[in-house]
């Protein structure tokens, strides 16, 4: 059963789409959420099973953010 505080947080996250566990729906390749400019990693993403994987999710998200900014600002660099 969701408390009123939890419901308030979920409402505040709109328009972010949530999965069945009430976590943000995340693309596991880019860590991008349903909101194109919003990325997620670590425990909140619900993808990783270990601390090491959570740290890697953060690295993946940061690289995806970097690429997203390049594309949206027309400052494309060569991929690594």
């Amino acid at each position: 059963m969701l408390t009123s505080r939890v419901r308030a947080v979920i409402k505040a996250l709109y328009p972010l789409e949530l999965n069945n566990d009430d976590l943000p729906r995340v693309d596991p390749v880019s860590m991008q959420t349903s909101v194109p400019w919003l990325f997620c990693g670590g425990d909140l993403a619900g993808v990783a099973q270990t601390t090491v994987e959570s740290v890697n999710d953060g690295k993946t998200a940061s690289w995806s953010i970097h690429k997203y900014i390049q594309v949206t600002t027309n400052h494309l660099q060569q991929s690594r």
Side-chain angles (χ1 to χ4, degrees):
M1 183 170 164
L2 298 177
T3 66
S4 60
R5 284 187 175 181
V6 171
R7 277 186 253 123
V9 169
I10 291 171
K11 184 177 178 182
L13 292 172
Y14 179 82
L16 187 64
E17 293 178 16
L18 303 178
N19 63 22
N20 292 335
D21 296 322
D22 291 325
L23 296 172
R25 183 166 290 141
V26 175
D27 176 348
V29 174
S30 67
M31 305 309 291
Q32 189 172 25
T33 68
S34 59
V35 178
W37 49 265
L38 188 59
F39 295 78
C40 184
D43 292 344
L44 186 60
V47 176
Q49 300 298 314
T50 67
T51 302
V52 173
E53 290 173 335
S54 291
V55 171
N56 190 60
D57 287 351
K59 181 180 175 183
T60 300
S62 67
W63 183 244
S64 297
I65 292 166
H66 177 74
K67 291 192 295 187
Y68 177 81
I69 291 171
Q70 287 181 328
V71 169
T72 59
T73 61
N74 293 318
H75 289 91
L76 295 175
Q77 302 289 326
Q78 285 187 332
S79 296
R80 293 184 189 185

